[in-house]
Amino acid sequence: EAVDLGADLERTWVASGLDFPDALAAGVAAWNDGGALMLVHGADLEASPASGTYLRANAEAIDRVVIVGGEAAVSHTVERQIVEAIAD
């Protein structure tokens, strides 16, 4: 887990696990920011149940989410689902 390696969940980065370049760049950026990277299905967070569960379980620790790759990689639907997951 990223936290075990010193990542801070306060700054959580999200990229599509289906888009290699975005995920690769996001991993480096998240590490440099001291944050964690979550890979999601770009069309629907429900298709990434482990990521959704992790976001909901750590909602109190997450202060900022950076979505990498634009709408073509991570849809507005997923953005909304992330906001709902961490708002609960």
Side-chain angles (χ1 to χ4, degrees):
E1 185 173 295
V3 174
D4 295 336
L5 297 172
D8 183 354
L9 293 181
E10 184 175 303
R11 295 174 308 278
T12 299
W13 291 63
V14 175
S16 170
L18 304 175
D19 192 358
F20 173 75
D22 289 341
L24 182 62
V28 173
W31 181 257
N32 285 330
D33 189 39
L37 172 64
M38 298 295 307
L39 299 178
V40 299
H41 190 286
D44 189 352
L45 188 60
E46 296 302 317
S48 305
S51 295
T53 298
Y54 191 83
L55 288 167
R56 285 187 288 281
N58 293 287
E60 289 186 26
I62 298 171
D63 183 56
R64 177 180 57 142
V65 175
V66 178
I67 299 175
V68 178
E71 186 180 354
V74 179
S75 70
H76 285 299
T77 298
V78 173
E79 180 180 358
R80 180 183 45 77
Q81 290 171 317
I82 290 169
V83 169
E84 290 171 0
I86 62 175
D88 292 340

